[in-house]
Amino acid sequence: MAAVSRPRNIVLTSLVVAVAAVLAACGGGSNTPTNHVLVVDKSFDMKTADPQREFEVSGGIVAKALYSTLLTFKGSDSATPVPLVASSYTASSDAKTFTFKLRSDIKFSDGTTLTSADVVFSFNRLINIKGNPSFLLSGITVSAPDASTVVLTSSTANPAIPFIIPNPALGIVNSKVVKAHGGTDQPGADKSDTAEAFLNTTSEGSGPYTLKSFSTTSEVDLTANPSYFGAKPFYNTVVIRNIQAPTQLIDIQKGSNEIAIDLSSDQAATLSGNSSLQVKASPGPNVFFLLANDNPKISRITPNKHFQNAIRYSLDYASYVQLAGAGAIQTPGVVPSMFLGALTPADDAQFDLTKAKAELAASGISNPTVNLGFPSDFTLNGISFSTLAQKVQANLQAAGITVNLTGSPISTALADYRAGTEQLGLWLWGPDYPDPNDYLVFLPGQLVGLRAGWAAGADPSLEALGVQASSSTDNTARGHLFQQIQRQLNTDGPFFPLIQPGQVVVATKGVTGADYNPTWTIDVAGAGG
Amino acid sequence: MRFLGRRLAALVLLGIGITFVAFVLTELVPGDPAAANLGQRAIADPAAVQAFREHYGLDKPLPVQYVLYLEHLASGDLGQSEQSHRPVRTDLSEFVPATAELAVTSILIAFVLGISLGILSAVRRNRLTDQVLRVISLGGISMPVFWLALVALYVFFFKLGWVPGSGRLDPGVLPAPHVTGLYTVDALLAGQFDVFVSAAQHLILPACVLAAYNVGLLTRFTRSAVLEVINNDYVQAARAKGMPERTVVLRHVLRAALPPIITVGGLAFANVMTGTVLVESIFAWPGIGQYAFHSATTLDLPAIMGVSLFVAVVYIVVNFVVDILYGVVDPRIRVA
């Protein structure tokens, strides 16, 4: 008898719980956000809220809101750094010394005044933690002659510094409080700094918001900083939620005061007739490119310059743009269209199958077969690398080149790419900072150049141009030099720039200022209603 | 007690075996955790790579890493996650309750509906009700869960507005102070009824989606198990005594049919606890499934090990509970 009644009791109890849950659910979202809450939907790559350790898209959004930087950009602009914590700055004529004068009215969220000591601590901490963003200040020494002056001294000419400084990873922390919680800026900080856990619970910055709650997997809640020195943000509370793109597409159509920033161009196209939403699609800063390895030990085929030209002419660039959807453009060079030194559409590579076949014949290689490596599980801006790779395979097949697709999951494909062992590779470069110096990596002997088997000394004239461009202090001259570099890359280099995919930002009607910026994606403090 | 002791010993041995296999497999994967976790610039900086390897102990030979892991494991330290920068134990304490809340709700729904519909289907064998229920249960088993999740979200959230969207709570609603990690329970314990309502509203749809497969499965198993015993002599004798049919079915038929249902139910629960990644992804539910997926894609060895151990423990505990339940519902097993 008892044995029978137990399951029955379980069933009855379960029924009661289920009914209670259903009844509770029938309220249908009674706690929907009120008007002072801004909701940002983002597929998280979040690791930390510690500004000196974060270098992910999600982390950049959070750090931008919590911490102020010496310089910043306005809205979607990334060409003109403007003062923020600094009242002004000067650069030496050799672009090795940059002097920043600080404002005196800036306070951290606990009321402490921000001084040059906090800047020095934050920057040295970034350098000595040896984390993802540490390279931003590589070769730079930070000093403070007085409480309101900070001097950055570079071992080599570095005109990109004003473009690097606005990065949220260079957000200034309250040095006294962070030190008190295990932070250090001394050499060895990679082992001895223990402040990350603290900074994941409490923000110690002077930005427009303070941290209310932080989770790397569900959501980050921010609340307005009453001590903020700038204009009070419109939204008192910001909730940044970890939501995948398909769900963002549904959520944004029901939301209010909401921004979605991971929708693909195709997904955004389904919203075009929705009058309650604003859809902005513009060329994003990521450059997708193909490489042919120049190292004869990796392939006897791909270093052949005629073979490389055959690839260049066989790619149907317009079809890649079409595949990428709204906002996408063909990229004429490796520097994206919104940065100094970008090429114009007049420099676009042209699809010409006849020329491709002629170049292949001139290469002296008959029926070539090569392997194409790519991250098979990776999708960015709604574009799957597997789909792109199939398109490359079809294009090259039409010219007489057989391509074996040898894609693998990104964690393993990256190893081959970074080791420079791919015959052909399909990859992207995202900007670390909005300056063409970040694209010198494509030159011989540099980071990406080596991945394409392009060793130092392979093209002395191009390398000399790179040295000249990286040290020039005149931005106009730098722009021309980078254009010259890219034109030469397009004729002599082993790289084939394909597209800049569109960057889509969707906001509900009434939300203003939801502008995409390559350095921090979205500035939630800039959003209005 | 001997039975319990054997089970616990098996748990320890299996746990060690799982950690060993996970270690070896992770080493065999032709990827590099540093490459998977460091950015495009940092990976080119030998100092940054060295700092990463030293921090996570990857600079030591694999056997040394494994021995160190076991040493730490003995003191309850599961290591630090490379993706979240937090102790794996802290991560698990956050993600496991999220999945458990979803899984328990889902399995309760599945048991109530699956067993009820299975009995109904068996009692009305080959009639219209039975045929309809068989088709529905087949649908529940056959439908891909990610598709069902998207459709359910579209219909019940977007079109009808009966339930809120994704996540565990409405935007801006903070969970009650952590006691169990189950938001509904913690909210009730803290007396925060508004948080409870929000958590329950967010829970119901993903739980129902997750339950769909198991409702179908349990309906079919229950029907089959009930049909096996429904015409046995002792059942006929009960009917001949004049017992109401409801009593006959619930007291005599269902009791005899329960062991196979418990077996399937136990496995279903273990599957739900460890296989929710798609539902968690679509409903933005920060559970163990998403954590496992991200760990695997970033070669986050400590997290992979932690999740593997968790999965092993779930299956062992569920099997243990199922064995105990056999004895409860079937005296012959209890005596044996």
Side-chain angles (χ1 to χ4, degrees):
Chain A
M1 181 73 185
V4 174
S5 62
R6 266 180 215 152
R8 226 168 76 185
N9 288 341
I10 291 168
V11 168
L12 284 172
T13 309
S14 308
L15 193 59
V16 169
V17 171
V19 168
V22 169
L23 287 175
C26 285
S30 58
N31 287 5
T32 45
T34 51
N35 283 339
H36 62 284
V37 178
L38 176 69
V39 178
V40 179
D41 288 350
K42 173 83 189 78
S43 174
F44 275 16
D45 52 359
M46 192 87 70
K47 291 188 176 184
T48 179
D50 182 339
Q52 273 82 61
R53 292 179 190 272
E54 69 78 23
F55 204 57
E56 297 77 39
V57 174
S58 314
I61 298 171
V62 173
K64 171 68 181 165
L66 302 178
Y67 297 93
S68 301
T69 47
L70 288 177
L71 305 178
T72 189
F73 295 113
K74 280 187 178 170
S76 58
D77 174 69
S78 53
T80 312
V82 294
L84 186 61
V85 169
S87 55
S88 64
Y89 76 97
T90 55
S92 64
S93 57
D94 60 359
K96 289 185 177 177
T97 305
F98 292 79
T99 304
F100 299 84
K101 299 300 285 184
L102 307 190
R103 288 171 57 159
S104 58
D105 59 339
I106 295 180
K107 296 191 184 305
F108 289 109
S109 51
D110 67 352
T112 314
T113 301
L114 186 156
T115 70
S116 60
D118 298 303
V119 181
V120 173
F121 174 83
S122 303
F123 287 11
N124 280 334
R125 183 169 178 261
L126 175 127
I127 293 167
N128 290 319
I129 276 177
K130 296 179 184 168
N132 269 334
S134 297
F135 78 93
L136 290 170
L137 295 183
S138 177
I140 291 172
T141 308
V142 190
S143 59
D146 59 56
S148 60
T149 308
V150 173
V151 178
L152 302 188
T153 310
S154 176
S155 52
T156 56
N158 192 348
I161 283 179
F163 296 86
I164 293 173
I165 294 297
N167 194 296
L170 293 163
I172 301 157
V173 300
N174 185 333
S175 60
K176 280 182 190 155
V177 178
V178 173
K179 277 181 194 169
H181 288 86
T184 174
D185 65 342
Q186 297 302 304
D190 56 315
K191 295 185 182 70
S192 55
D193 183 280
T194 56
E196 183 183 7
F198 169 69
L199 290 169
N200 282 344
T201 57
T202 311
S203 56
E204 288 299 335
S206 56
Y209 288 94
T210 59
L211 191 63
K212 192 173 173 189
S213 74
F214 178 78
S215 164
T216 56
T217 55
S218 54
E219 70 178 44
V220 177
D221 292 4
L222 312 174
T223 190
N225 174 10
S227 304
Y228 183 53
F229 60 93
K232 188 182 173 194
F234 180 82
Y235 292 100
N236 193 49
T237 299
V238 174
V239 178
I240 304 168
R241 304 189 300 180
N242 181 18
I243 308 272
Q244 301 299 309
T247 311
Q248 286 183 26
L249 182 62
I250 296 174
D251 279 0
I252 191 77
Q253 296 177 74
K254 287 286 280 186
S256 57
N257 301 323
E258 195 161 328
I259 299 171
I261 45 184
D262 284 312
L263 298 184
S264 68
S265 297
D266 285 346
Q267 287 169 323
T270 66
L271 304 174
S272 58
N274 191 330
S275 59
S276 63
L277 297 175
Q278 313 165 63
V279 181
K280 294 180 191 171
S282 54
N286 296 314
V287 170
F288 287 29
F289 64 91
L290 188 67
L291 67 84
N293 205 304
D294 232 41
N295 183 351
K297 289 179 184 167
I298 301 301
S299 167
R300 284 182 299 166
I301 299 170
T302 53
N304 186 303
K305 289 299 164 189
H306 287 293
F307 178 81
Q308 291 181 0
N309 283 337
I311 292 177
R312 192 166 281 118
Y313 288 122
S314 65
L315 296 168
D316 181 4
Y317 299 94
S319 69
Y320 292 89
V321 175
Q322 192 179 13
L323 177 74
I329 56 169
Q330 179 181 347
T331 181
V334 291
V335 177
S337 57
M338 66 284 284
F339 293 171
L340 177 74
L343 294 175
T344 64
D347 289 294
D348 278 346
Q350 302 296 320
F351 167 56
D352 189 332
L353 200 52
T354 309
K355 278 188 182 173
K357 288 178 178 173
E359 288 285 352
L360 186 59
S363 73
I365 304 166
S366 58
N367 301 319
T369 299
V370 288
N371 296 331
L372 173 62
F374 59 94
S376 57
D377 59 345
F378 188 61
T379 296
L380 190 71
N381 299 116
I383 305 166
S384 157
F385 271 69
S386 287
T387 308
L388 275 186
Q390 288 165 23
K391 201 155 195 52
V392 170
Q393 184 187 41
N395 281 174
L396 268 59
Q397 185 67 54
I401 302 168
T402 303
V403 174
N404 295 325
L405 299 183
T406 55
S408 54
I410 190 164
S411 56
T412 51
L414 268 173
D416 292 337
Y417 168 51
R418 287 169 171 168
T421 57
E422 291 179 331
Q423 295 183 340
L424 295 182
L426 182 61
W427 291 94
L428 71 92
W429 185 261
D432 299 303
Y433 51 88
D435 185 89
N437 272 16
D438 194 38
Y439 294 82
L440 293 169
V441 291
F442 284 88
L443 297 187
Q446 301 300 315
L447 186 66
V448 183
L450 289 173
R451 291 171 183 175
W454 215 19
D459 193 333
S461 68
L462 194 55
E463 291 163 60
L465 271 178
V467 171
Q468 196 183 343
S470 68
S471 56
S472 172
T473 53
D474 177 355
N475 276 341
T476 308
R478 283 178 77 214
H480 289 137
L481 283 167
F482 273 102
Q483 288 184 333
Q484 199 179 335
I485 287 171
Q486 288 176 94
R487 289 192 185 104
Q488 199 164 327
L489 262 177
N490 286 349
T491 54
D492 305 336
F495 299 105
F496 315 98
L498 294 172
I499 49 168
Q500 280 174 244
Q503 181 65 50
V504 175
V505 176
V506 180
T508 52
K509 196 174 180 181
V511 174
T512 60
D515 298 319
Y516 175 82
N517 188 293
T519 305
W520 49 71
T521 306
I522 289 285
D523 176 13
V524 292
Chain B
M1 281 305 287
R2 248 180 92 189
F3 174 71
L4 189 64
R6 280 206 309 270
R7 284 287 169 166
L8 285 174
L11 175 64
V12 172
L13 287 175
L14 196 63
I16 293 172
I18 292 273
T19 59
F20 180 74
V21 171
F23 244 99
V24 171
L25 285 180
T26 310
E27 181 66 12
L28 289 176
V29 172
D32 178 6
N37 284 278
L38 291 178
Q40 59 188 8
R41 290 286 196 167
I43 193 64
D45 178 2
V49 174
Q50 182 62 20
F52 180 87
R53 291 191 187 287
E54 282 178 10
H55 186 79
Y56 292 102
L58 299 170
D59 55 332
K60 298 179 176 65
L62 193 68
V64 177
Q65 286 182 43
Y66 184 59
V67 170
L68 283 174
Y69 181 81
L70 288 183
E71 274 180 28
H72 292 148
L73 186 62
S75 58
D77 178 4
L78 295 171
Q80 189 186 21
S81 164
E82 293 157 13
Q83 50 170 329
S84 70
H85 298 183
R86 297 191 305 178
V88 172
R89 200 167 62 175
T90 306
D91 281 348
L92 291 179
S93 71
E94 181 180 321
F95 301 129
V96 169
T99 297
E101 188 169 42
L102 187 59
V104 169
T105 310
S106 149
I107 213 71
L108 286 174
I109 294 168
F111 264 104
V112 171
L113 287 179
I115 293 175
S116 307
L117 295 178
I119 293 171
L120 185 64
S121 189
V123 169
R124 308 209 169 195
R125 181 176 37 164
N126 293 334
R127 287 195 240 165
L128 181 63
T129 311
D130 179 32
Q131 284 161 357
V132 169
L133 286 174
R134 283 162 71 186
V135 169
I136 290 173
S137 64
L138 186 65
I141 291 171
S142 311
M143 268 189 291
V145 70
F146 71 91
W147 179 83
L148 186 63
L150 279 173
V151 170
L153 193 63
Y154 181 77
V155 172
F156 294 105
F157 164 60
F158 182 67
K159 281 292 178 190
L160 300 175
W162 289 0
V163 291
S166 48
R168 290 183 80 185
L169 292 169
D170 290 325
V173 176
L174 291 179
H178 183 104
V179 179
T180 63
L182 311 175
Y183 281 5
T184 46
V185 175
D186 287 352
L188 287 178
L189 289 176
Q192 297 179 354
F193 193 69
D194 55 335
V195 177
F196 169 78
V197 170
S198 177
Q201 286 171 346
H202 280 264
L203 180 60
I204 193 67
L205 190 60
C208 286
V209 168
L210 204 55
Y213 176 85
N214 289 323
V215 168
L217 189 72
L218 283 166
T219 299
R220 295 174 80 82
F221 259 90
T222 305
R223 178 183 182 276
S224 167
V226 167
L227 284 178
E228 273 189 26
V229 297
I230 200 164
N231 288 320
N232 282 358
D233 289 346
Y234 71 91
V235 177
Q236 300 288 13
R239 286 198 182 105
K241 283 182 187 173
M243 276 189 184
E245 185 64 16
R246 182 172 166 274
T247 309
V248 171
V249 169
L250 291 181
R251 188 174 296 177
H252 297 284
V253 174
L254 183 59
R255 183 177 182 184
L258 269 180
I261 297 170
I262 289 172
T263 306
V264 174
L267 284 175
F269 179 68
N271 288 341
V272 165
M273 275 299 290
T274 58
T276 56
V277 61
L278 292 172
V279 170
E280 286 181 3
S281 178
I282 288 165
F283 286 99
W285 198 269
I288 197 76
Q290 288 210 64
Y291 184 60
F293 176 74
H294 289 303
S295 307
T297 53
T298 56
L299 296 177
D300 183 352
L301 183 60
I304 292 170
M305 304 289 283
V307 171
S308 303
L309 274 174
F310 166 73
V311 170
V313 169
V314 165
Y315 273 93
I316 290 169
V317 170
V318 166
N319 278 323
F320 177 70
V321 171
V322 165
D323 286 348
I324 299 288
L325 286 177
Y326 281 162
V328 171
V329 300
D330 191 338
R332 292 167 300 180
I333 297 173
R334 190 165 44 202
V335 171

